[in-house]
Amino acid sequence: MPELFVRSLLSSEGIRWFFGHFASSIGSPFLVVLLVCFIAFGAIKSSSLLSLHNPMEFRERLGIRLLILEALVFIAIICLLTAVPHAILLSATGELWPSSFSNSIIPYCAFAICVMAISFALVSGNKRSLVEIFDMLTCGISLSAPWLLVYIFAKQLIDSFIFVLD
């Protein structure tokens, strides 16, 4: 089928495209979403919030109360930024989708989860130093590193197919 136009990745144009677009292809907003979700996952996992037992100790009960209070504060903040008239995070037309709110809801939730997990870990006595808090936040990235590798390979494969068939 000579009328079918398919570009080769092994041509000089294909090799230049592959090397020239590798970083811009991988660096997408989806990668940022993956990273902040992995950080939040690691914070929850290493805070021992998911492994509470009954009956809880006094410090764990205090940590849960602080966590509920922080969740209410985070919900109040997002409501004040979106629900009042002429709210800051609404679009120019006053809609939630698409707006600054829709662009930032996942990073905001991940940040809130990290803050709540850190405060729970500190109050319950599971973590005591800044080094432990740092390890808590980086734990999720190290646990999900294989998924980052899968993302890189899948993204390059998809973009290569688009280049070849475009």
Side-chain angles (χ1 to χ4, degrees):
M1 296 183 349
E3 69 276 356
L4 184 64
F5 182 71
V6 177
R7 296 189 286 187
S8 173
L9 274 174
L10 298 177
S11 67
S12 60
E13 178 191 15
I15 292 172
R16 276 193 306 273
W17 174 86
F18 189 81
F19 280 93
H21 289 88
F22 186 82
S24 63
S25 172
I26 291 173
S28 68
F30 185 69
L31 179 63
V32 174
V33 168
L34 278 178
L35 287 175
V36 296
C37 288
F38 291 156
I39 291 170
F41 169 73
I44 286 178
K45 186 172 178 4
S46 62
S47 70
S48 75
L49 188 59
L50 299 177
S51 62
L52 292 176
H53 50 81
N54 287 331
M56 289 187 287
E57 296 178 13
F58 172 74
R59 294 184 75 161
E60 289 175 341
R61 286 194 308 267
L62 187 63
I64 292 291
R65 288 182 184 135
L66 178 63
L67 187 133
I68 292 170
L69 177 68
E70 287 175 341
L72 292 174
V73 168
F74 278 115
I75 290 170
I77 288 171
I78 201 69
C79 286
L80 288 174
L81 291 173
T82 57
V84 297
H86 306 291
I88 295 171
L89 293 183
L90 296 178
S91 67
T93 59
E95 301 293 323
L96 281 175
W97 310 99
S99 67
S100 297
F101 169 76
S102 62
N103 291 337
S104 66
I105 189 66
I106 292 176
Y108 180 79
C109 290
F111 174 73
I113 288 170
C114 287
V115 168
M116 290 186 285
I118 289 169
S119 63
F120 175 80
L122 288 172
V123 169
S124 66
N126 295 330
K127 307 291 182 206
R128 290 187 171 85
S129 70
L130 192 59
V131 173
E132 289 177 324
I133 298 298
F134 183 77
D135 290 340
M136 192 173 130
L137 292 173
T138 58
C139 167
I141 294 177
S142 63
L143 288 175
S144 51
W147 291 109
L148 291 174
L149 189 63
V150 167
Y151 165 78
I152 290 171
F153 287 144
K155 181 72 170 139
Q156 278 306 116
L157 180 67
I158 291 168
D159 286 353
S160 295
F161 277 130
I162 290 172
F163 172 79
V164 167
L165 299 175
D166 189 24

mmCIF file of all heavy atoms in Angstrom, residues 70-84 87-90 96 99-109 112:
data_model
loop_
_atom_site.group_PDB
_atom_site.id
_atom_site.type_symbol
_atom_site.label_atom_id
_atom_site.label_comp_id
_atom_site.label_asym_id
_atom_site.label_seq_id
_atom_site.Cartn_x
_atom_site.Cartn_y
_atom_site.Cartn_z
ATOM 1 N N GLU A 70 -8.081 18.145 61.521
ATOM 2 C CA GLU A 70 -7.368 18.617 60.332
ATOM 3 C C GLU A 70 -8.177 18.371 59.066
ATOM 4 O O GLU A 70 -8.189 19.218 58.158
ATOM 5 C CB GLU A 70 -6.009 17.930 60.214
ATOM 6 C CG GLU A 70 -5.000 18.414 61.211
ATOM 7 C CD GLU A 70 -3.714 17.625 61.153
ATOM 8 O OE1 GLU A 70 -3.713 16.494 60.615
ATOM 9 O OE2 GLU A 70 -2.702 18.142 61.644
ATOM 10 N N ALA A 71 -8.854 17.232 58.969
ATOM 11 C CA ALA A 71 -9.686 16.947 57.799
ATOM 12 C C ALA A 71 -10.801 17.978 57.674
ATOM 13 O O ALA A 71 -11.086 18.467 56.573
ATOM 14 C CB ALA A 71 -10.262 15.539 57.882
ATOM 15 N N LEU A 72 -11.409 18.329 58.785
ATOM 16 C CA LEU A 72 -12.460 19.352 58.762
ATOM 17 C C LEU A 72 -11.902 20.711 58.340
ATOM 18 O O LEU A 72 -12.553 21.445 57.594
ATOM 19 C CB LEU A 72 -13.143 19.446 60.123
ATOM 20 C CG LEU A 72 -13.974 18.226 60.529
ATOM 21 C CD1 LEU A 72 -14.479 18.385 61.962
ATOM 22 C CD2 LEU A 72 -15.125 18.031 59.562
ATOM 23 N N VAL A 73 -10.699 21.044 58.795
ATOM 24 C CA VAL A 73 -10.070 22.309 58.405
ATOM 25 C C VAL A 73 -9.758 22.313 56.908
ATOM 26 O O VAL A 73 -10.031 23.309 56.214
ATOM 27 C CB VAL A 73 -8.796 22.565 59.243
ATOM 28 C CG1 VAL A 73 -7.971 23.696 58.664
ATOM 29 C CG2 VAL A 73 -9.171 22.874 60.682
ATOM 30 N N PHE A 74 -9.232 21.210 56.382
ATOM 31 C CA PHE A 74 -8.938 21.136 54.957
ATOM 32 C C PHE A 74 -10.213 21.214 54.116
ATOM 33 O O PHE A 74 -10.238 21.852 53.059
ATOM 34 C CB PHE A 74 -8.151 19.863 54.612
ATOM 35 C CG PHE A 74 -6.688 19.977 54.878
ATOM 36 C CD1 PHE A 74 -6.080 19.194 55.847
ATOM 37 C CD2 PHE A 74 -5.902 20.856 54.156
ATOM 38 C CE1 PHE A 74 -4.726 19.297 56.088
ATOM 39 C CE2 PHE A 74 -4.544 20.967 54.386
ATOM 40 C CZ PHE A 74 -3.955 20.181 55.362
ATOM 41 N N ILE A 75 -11.280 20.588 54.583
ATOM 42 C CA ILE A 75 -12.561 20.668 53.872
ATOM 43 C C ILE A 75 -13.101 22.095 53.918
ATOM 44 O O ILE A 75 -13.598 22.615 52.908
ATOM 45 C CB ILE A 75 -13.568 19.655 54.459
ATOM 46 C CG1 ILE A 75 -13.128 18.235 54.104
ATOM 47 C CG2 ILE A 75 -14.978 19.924 53.953
ATOM 48 C CD1 ILE A 75 -13.893 17.140 54.824
ATOM 49 N N ALA A 76 -12.991 22.749 55.066
ATOM 50 C CA ALA A 76 -13.456 24.133 55.184
ATOM 51 C C ALA A 76 -12.658 25.055 54.269
ATOM 52 O O ALA A 76 -13.231 25.949 53.621
ATOM 53 C CB ALA A 76 -13.343 24.594 56.631
ATOM 54 N N ILE A 77 -11.356 24.841 54.176
ATOM 55 C CA ILE A 77 -10.517 25.684 53.309
ATOM 56 C C ILE A 77 -10.931 25.525 51.849
ATOM 57 O O ILE A 77 -11.110 26.520 51.137
ATOM 58 C CB ILE A 77 -9.025 25.346 53.499
ATOM 59 C CG1 ILE A 77 -8.539 25.850 54.855
ATOM 60 C CG2 ILE A 77 -8.182 25.947 52.381
ATOM 61 C CD1 ILE A 77 -7.148 25.384 55.220
ATOM 62 N N ILE A 78 -11.119 24.295 51.405
ATOM 63 C CA ILE A 78 -11.475 24.093 50.004
ATOM 64 C C ILE A 78 -12.882 24.603 49.727
ATOM 65 O O ILE A 78 -13.160 25.123 48.639
ATOM 66 C CB ILE A 78 -11.283 22.618 49.565
ATOM 67 C CG1 ILE A 78 -11.149 22.520 48.045
ATOM 68 C CG2 ILE A 78 -12.395 21.744 50.023
ATOM 69 C CD1 ILE A 78 -9.914 23.094 47.491
ATOM 70 N N CYS A 79 -13.763 24.509 50.697
ATOM 71 C CA CYS A 79 -15.112 25.070 50.515
ATOM 72 C C CYS A 79 -15.065 26.588 50.423
ATOM 73 O O CYS A 79 -15.769 27.188 49.605
ATOM 74 C CB CYS A 79 -16.029 24.632 51.656
ATOM 75 S SG CYS A 79 -16.544 22.917 51.534
ATOM 76 N N LEU A 80 -14.254 27.218 51.257
ATOM 77 C CA LEU A 80 -14.135 28.676 51.193
ATOM 78 C C LEU A 80 -13.490 29.143 49.889
ATOM 79 O O LEU A 80 -13.783 30.243 49.412
ATOM 80 C CB LEU A 80 -13.335 29.186 52.389
ATOM 81 C CG LEU A 80 -14.037 29.123 53.737
ATOM 82 C CD1 LEU A 80 -13.092 29.520 54.851
ATOM 83 C CD2 LEU A 80 -15.272 30.009 53.732
ATOM 84 N N LEU A 81 -12.627 28.331 49.323
ATOM 85 C CA LEU A 81 -11.973 28.710 48.071
ATOM 86 C C LEU A 81 -12.815 28.409 46.839
ATOM 87 O O LEU A 81 -12.485 28.859 45.742
ATOM 88 C CB LEU A 81 -10.624 28.009 47.953
ATOM 89 C CG LEU A 81 -9.542 28.466 48.930
ATOM 90 C CD1 LEU A 81 -8.316 27.587 48.815
ATOM 91 C CD2 LEU A 81 -9.189 29.926 48.689
ATOM 92 N N THR A 82 -13.906 27.641 47.005
ATOM 93 C CA THR A 82 -14.708 27.269 45.839
ATOM 94 C C THR A 82 -16.202 27.568 45.971
ATOM 95 O O THR A 82 -16.854 27.781 44.964
ATOM 96 C CB THR A 82 -14.569 25.770 45.539
ATOM 97 O OG1 THR A 82 -14.960 25.017 46.687
ATOM 98 C CG2 THR A 82 -13.165 25.415 45.134
ATOM 99 N N ALA A 83 -16.753 27.561 47.157
ATOM 100 C CA ALA A 83 -18.208 27.608 47.303
ATOM 101 C C ALA A 83 -18.776 29.015 47.459
ATOM 102 O O ALA A 83 -19.959 29.220 47.190
ATOM 103 C CB ALA A 83 -18.634 26.745 48.489
ATOM 104 N N VAL A 84 -18.000 29.953 47.897
ATOM 105 C CA VAL A 84 -18.529 31.308 48.088
ATOM 106 C C VAL A 84 -18.626 32.008 46.733
ATOM 107 O O VAL A 84 -17.952 31.639 45.782
ATOM 108 C CB VAL A 84 -17.625 32.119 49.052
ATOM 109 C CG1 VAL A 84 -17.615 31.476 50.418
ATOM 110 C CG2 VAL A 84 -16.225 32.257 48.523
ATOM 111 N N ALA A 87 -15.485 32.967 44.103
ATOM 112 C CA ALA A 87 -14.409 32.229 44.772
ATOM 113 C C ALA A 87 -13.147 32.234 43.929
ATOM 114 O O ALA A 87 -13.183 32.316 42.698
ATOM 115 C CB ALA A 87 -14.856 30.793 45.041
ATOM 116 N N ILE A 88 -12.037 32.124 44.595
ATOM 117 C CA ILE A 88 -10.731 32.242 43.953
ATOM 118 C C ILE A 88 -10.465 31.101 42.981
ATOM 119 O O ILE A 88 -9.893 31.311 41.917
ATOM 120 C CB ILE A 88 -9.629 32.296 45.032
ATOM 121 C CG1 ILE A 88 -9.782 33.556 45.859
ATOM 122 C CG2 ILE A 88 -8.248 32.222 44.423
ATOM 123 C CD1 ILE A 88 -8.894 33.590 47.072
ATOM 124 N N LEU A 89 -10.848 29.882 43.320
ATOM 125 C CA LEU A 89 -10.489 28.731 42.495
ATOM 126 C C LEU A 89 -11.481 28.423 41.375
ATOM 127 O O LEU A 89 -11.288 27.462 40.636
ATOM 128 C CB LEU A 89 -10.314 27.487 43.373
ATOM 129 C CG LEU A 89 -9.126 27.509 44.330
ATOM 130 C CD1 LEU A 89 -9.039 26.203 45.077
ATOM 131 C CD2 LEU A 89 -7.840 27.788 43.589
ATOM 132 N N LEU A 90 -12.529 29.224 41.215
ATOM 133 C CA LEU A 90 -13.464 29.015 40.120
ATOM 134 C C LEU A 90 -12.886 29.582 38.829
ATOM 135 O O LEU A 90 -12.007 30.437 38.844
ATOM 136 C CB LEU A 90 -14.800 29.683 40.429
ATOM 137 C CG LEU A 90 -15.582 29.146 41.622
ATOM 138 C CD1 LEU A 90 -16.861 29.939 41.819
ATOM 139 C CD2 LEU A 90 -15.887 27.677 41.446
ATOM 140 N N LEU A 96 -16.645 25.033 38.184
ATOM 141 C CA LEU A 96 -15.592 24.242 38.827
ATOM 142 C C LEU A 96 -14.771 23.452 37.818
ATOM 143 O O LEU A 96 -13.603 23.171 38.039
ATOM 144 C CB LEU A 96 -16.195 23.263 39.837
ATOM 145 C CG LEU A 96 -16.594 23.834 41.189
ATOM 146 C CD1 LEU A 96 -17.276 22.766 42.014
ATOM 147 C CD2 LEU A 96 -15.397 24.384 41.908
ATOM 148 N N SER A 99 -11.201 24.507 35.816
ATOM 149 C CA SER A 99 -10.815 25.671 36.614
ATOM 150 C C SER A 99 -9.536 25.344 37.362
ATOM 151 O O SER A 99 -8.991 24.250 37.251
ATOM 152 C CB SER A 99 -11.918 26.018 37.606
ATOM 153 O OG SER A 99 -12.045 24.995 38.570
ATOM 154 N N SER A 100 -9.091 26.297 38.152
ATOM 155 C CA SER A 100 -7.928 26.043 39.008
ATOM 156 C C SER A 100 -8.233 24.956 40.022
ATOM 157 O O SER A 100 -7.353 24.198 40.420
ATOM 158 C CB SER A 100 -7.528 27.330 39.728
ATOM 159 O OG SER A 100 -7.147 28.302 38.798
ATOM 160 N N PHE A 101 -9.494 24.876 40.442
ATOM 161 C CA PHE A 101 -9.897 23.829 41.378
ATOM 162 C C PHE A 101 -9.699 22.447 40.770
ATOM 163 O O PHE A 101 -9.119 21.558 41.393
ATOM 164 C CB PHE A 101 -11.360 24.015 41.781
ATOM 165 C CG PHE A 101 -11.931 22.841 42.522
ATOM 166 C CD1 PHE A 101 -11.606 22.630 43.847
ATOM 167 C CD2 PHE A 101 -12.771 21.945 41.886
ATOM 168 C CE1 PHE A 101 -12.119 21.539 44.540
ATOM 169 C CE2 PHE A 101 -13.292 20.862 42.557
ATOM 170 C CZ PHE A 101 -12.966 20.658 43.886
ATOM 171 N N SER A 102 -10.171 22.251 39.547
ATOM 172 C CA SER A 102 -10.059 20.934 38.923
ATOM 173 C C SER A 102 -8.604 20.577 38.619
ATOM 174 O O SER A 102 -8.250 19.404 38.596
ATOM 175 C CB SER A 102 -10.900 20.867 37.650
ATOM 176 O OG SER A 102 -10.439 21.803 36.696
ATOM 177 N N ASN A 103 -7.773 21.579 38.393
ATOM 178 C CA ASN A 103 -6.359 21.306 38.147
ATOM 179 C C ASN A 103 -5.595 20.980 39.425
ATOM 180 O O ASN A 103 -4.535 20.360 39.373
ATOM 181 C CB ASN A 103 -5.687 22.498 37.464
ATOM 182 C CG ASN A 103 -6.165 22.687 36.054
ATOM 183 O OD1 ASN A 103 -6.639 21.756 35.431
ATOM 184 N ND2 ASN A 103 -6.061 23.902 35.560
ATOM 185 N N SER A 104 -6.108 21.412 40.566
ATOM 186 C CA SER A 104 -5.346 21.267 41.809
ATOM 187 C C SER A 104 -5.975 20.333 42.831
ATOM 188 O O SER A 104 -5.437 20.193 43.926
ATOM 189 C CB SER A 104 -5.169 22.643 42.453
ATOM 190 O OG SER A 104 -6.430 23.149 42.859
ATOM 191 N N ILE A 105 -7.070 19.683 42.521
ATOM 192 C CA ILE A 105 -7.752 18.875 43.537
ATOM 193 C C ILE A 105 -6.914 17.667 43.960
ATOM 194 O O ILE A 105 -6.843 17.344 45.151
ATOM 195 C CB ILE A 105 -9.169 18.456 43.071
ATOM 196 C CG1 ILE A 105 -9.938 17.821 44.212
ATOM 197 C CG2 ILE A 105 -9.110 17.547 41.874
ATOM 198 C CD1 ILE A 105 -10.249 18.747 45.345
ATOM 199 N N ILE A 106 -6.244 17.001 43.030
ATOM 200 C CA ILE A 106 -5.435 15.837 43.403
ATOM 201 C C ILE A 106 -4.205 16.252 44.214
ATOM 202 O O ILE A 106 -3.948 15.664 45.265
ATOM 203 C CB ILE A 106 -5.071 15.001 42.170
ATOM 204 C CG1 ILE A 106 -6.348 14.363 41.616
ATOM 205 C CG2 ILE A 106 -4.039 13.933 42.506
ATOM 206 C CD1 ILE A 106 -6.160 13.583 40.349
ATOM 207 N N PRO A 107 -3.433 17.275 43.789
ATOM 208 C CA PRO A 107 -2.323 17.708 44.652
ATOM 209 C C PRO A 107 -2.793 18.224 46.016
ATOM 210 O O PRO A 107 -2.123 17.991 47.022
ATOM 211 C CB PRO A 107 -1.641 18.816 43.854
ATOM 212 C CG PRO A 107 -1.983 18.531 42.446
ATOM 213 C CD PRO A 107 -3.355 17.937 42.477
ATOM 214 N N TYR A 108 -3.942 18.894 46.071
ATOM 215 C CA TYR A 108 -4.464 19.384 47.349
ATOM 216 C C TYR A 108 -4.810 18.216 48.267
ATOM 217 O O TYR A 108 -4.461 18.228 49.450
ATOM 218 C CB TYR A 108 -5.695 20.267 47.110
ATOM 219 C CG TYR A 108 -6.289 20.818 48.380
ATOM 220 C CD1 TYR A 108 -5.721 21.915 49.010
ATOM 221 C CD2 TYR A 108 -7.414 20.244 48.969
ATOM 222 C CE1 TYR A 108 -6.251 22.429 50.173
ATOM 223 C CE2 TYR A 108 -7.948 20.743 50.131
ATOM 224 C CZ TYR A 108 -7.363 21.841 50.730
ATOM 225 O OH TYR A 108 -7.881 22.339 51.897
ATOM 226 N N CYS A 109 -5.489 17.216 47.731
ATOM 227 C CA CYS A 109 -5.842 16.042 48.545
ATOM 228 C C CYS A 109 -4.589 15.295 48.996
ATOM 229 O O CYS A 109 -4.522 14.836 50.142
ATOM 230 C CB CYS A 109 -6.766 15.116 47.761
ATOM 231 S SG CYS A 109 -8.411 15.781 47.516
ATOM 232 N N ALA A 112 -3.063 17.279 51.801
ATOM 233 C CA ALA A 112 -3.853 17.111 53.020
ATOM 234 C C ALA A 112 -3.598 15.747 53.645
ATOM 235 O O ALA A 112 -3.438 15.636 54.875
ATOM 236 C CB ALA A 112 -5.343 17.287 52.703
#
